[in-house]
Amino acid sequence: MRKLLFIGIFYGSLIGMVAAQSVKPWTDWSQKDAEKILNSSAWGQSQMRGEAPPSVRPPSGAGTQATRQGPAPLPPEVFVRARFISAKPVREAFASRLRNAHPSPSAELEKELQTIIDNGFGDYIIVAVNVDGRNPATVGATLQGLRKLDVSQLTNKVYLERKDGKRLSVIDYRSPVADDMGGKFVFARSLDGEPFLTPESGSVRFVMNLSDNLKLNLKFDVPKMIYDGNLEY
């Protein structure tokens, strides 16, 4: 009797785990869900450049003078985002963000976005780097740096590196366009005839060492990149 009870509890717990790990359809994602995948997840990370100015309270009675001086300056910090857009959850996050930007998204729009999600990028790994922030001047300067890049400048400066030290070099680069994804660094999906990443790879780093504004060294945990039963990268 105890054995049967134990088995029942075990299978009940297993079913609960499977349910907890089920993937919510991207059409049901909130903006917060999408931003989490894009900015702070197994497939998308962020680094801040610069610091926000400290908040200073004006002295008593200085309200009129502060008003005459105009609004406080915009904070100079920017957030540089690196995302594996070749990973399905990142494509779903971008699709969700685009869908949620429409007050009444049509079935046709959802179908087009689903096609983009399903098609993927074939034999390539693509890491997109974008920047955002509240100050257009600092954001624009970093974006301009991304627009000026050429693949010939990237050798040994932008790469993916596994935990065992094996690297993938960039084979192509696409400058930012009006898709809100940023510049796209393209890598082969395999190395020496084998997939570059497997669930046993441990970790992978995206390294970009170009200038003060375009410098990243981000570590991604490969076991956490399992999504809906598949390793997504």
Side-chain angles (χ1 to χ4, degrees), residues 44-106:
Q45 294 188 31
S46 306
Q47 278 191 1
M48 190 178 79
R49 290 281 181 270
E51 296 182 0
S55 176
V56 179
R57 179 179 297 177
S60 177
T64 303
Q65 180 180 359
T67 301
R68 286 199 301 265
Q69 293 175 347
L74 292 172
E77 81 273 18
V78 297
F79 294 91
V80 184
R81 322 282 193 185
R83 298 141 173 173
F84 281 83
I85 62 172
S86 45
K88 185 177 180 180
V90 174
R91 298 197 302 277
E92 289 183 332
F94 275 113
S96 173
R97 196 160 72 174
L98 184 58
R99 178 186 183 276
N100 290 338
H102 289 72
S104 301
S106 66

